[in-house]
Amino acid sequence: MSNDFAIKQATFIGSCAAGTPYPPPLPFEVAIVGKSNVGKSSLINNLCRNNKLARVSGQPGKTRLINYFCINNAFYLVDLPGYGFARASKTEKQSWGALVEGYLASGRVNHLFLLLDIRHPPTVDDAAMYRYLLYYGTPFTLIATKADKIARAHRKNQANANAKLLTGVPFALSYSSENGEGRTELVQRLGALYDDAIQIASHTI
């Protein structure tokens, strides 16, 4: 089924701050996280083929809420606020931690896409996010963004090298929101994850 999966509709549902309720649950929820300016909003727009869906800003640290998008009226795609913004105050960083940790602890998310900038080794903040995922047992896929910024011949090796530095496993999907490289593979990945979630839900009813 996942090979036939397509994103046909994407709608912004709303934003959640700390202490505000999440939208009513759906059978599948996948979240996207990464450092500030890693390209989360651009990836969402490219993935959904709607350049106005997620707000893209040239200013790092702009997204400070949890933003919910409904895909095909069937599941949620969730944009988590970026981390590692150097100019953020200590209070802002603590607020980010509480917001994201509360979300992971809620048990809503089925899978998480952790974005890394393909041009640079994982940061200390990337490593901290990875530890969050391990602590909460959240399944994840690594995505190396901005693939168009390096030579095509080096993209796969660089993506996998960065993944190995972070997790010890040399695999990440390279992605470019500029030219759509990796989009087909990520859509298929979403379809497979959605199928799995629906099957699990059907067996728990």
Side-chain angles (χ1 to χ4, degrees):
M1 289 180 61
S2 59
N3 289 335
D4 299 324
F5 177 80
I7 296 177
K8 300 176 181 179
Q9 184 181 32
T11 306
F12 174 65
I13 299 299
S15 301
C16 301
T20 60
Y22 302 116
L26 290 175
F28 179 58
E29 188 165 316
V30 59
I32 297 178
V33 72
K35 69 179 183 179
S36 296
N37 212 30
V38 76
K40 293 186 287 90
S41 297
S42 295
L43 183 144
I44 290 170
N45 290 343
N46 181 263
L47 186 65
C48 298
R49 289 182 169 162
N50 182 347
N51 289 332
K52 296 182 179 180
L53 184 63
R55 187 175 179 181
V56 177
S57 174
Q59 179 183 353
K62 196 71 175 178
T63 302
R64 297 182 183 179
L65 299 170
I66 295 176
N67 295 318
Y68 267 82
F69 304 89
C70 187
I71 308 299
N72 296 348
N73 291 316
F75 67 89
Y76 291 126
L77 181 63
V78 184
D79 183 15
L80 299 180
Y83 54 78
F85 181 41
R87 283 161 48 190
S89 67
K90 182 177 180 180
T91 300
E92 287 176 317
K93 291 177 181 178
Q94 290 174 339
S95 176
W96 176 90
L99 184 66
V100 173
E101 189 168 5
Y103 174 74
L104 294 177
S106 71
R108 291 177 57 100
V109 62
N110 300 89
H111 198 89
L112 194 142
F113 293 149
L114 175 54
L115 274 52
L116 304 173
D117 189 325
I118 197 170
R119 300 170 297 178
H120 309 294
T123 66
V124 171
D125 293 304
D126 291 325
M129 187 67 232
Y130 175 57
R131 290 194 295 271
Y132 267 123
L133 301 186
L134 294 181
Y135 179 80
Y136 287 104
T138 308
F140 66 93
T141 298
L142 291 180
I143 301 174
T145 61
K146 305 188 180 185
D148 57 284
K149 303 299 183 183
I150 66 174
R152 183 179 297 275
H154 300 309
R155 291 172 191 171
K156 182 177 180 180
N157 287 342
Q158 189 62 52
N160 292 346
N162 287 349
K164 187 174 183 179
L165 285 173
L166 183 64
T167 69
V169 179
F171 177 78
L173 172 66
S174 60
Y175 199 104
S176 168
S177 296
E178 290 294 320
N179 60 30
E181 178 183 335
R183 183 185 181 277
T184 298
E185 292 83 357
L186 190 55
V187 168
Q188 290 176 350
R189 178 72 171 144
L190 265 176
L193 292 168
Y194 175 70
D195 286 349
D196 289 346
I198 293 300
Q199 289 183 16
I200 292 171
S202 67
H203 285 92
T204 58
I205 295 176

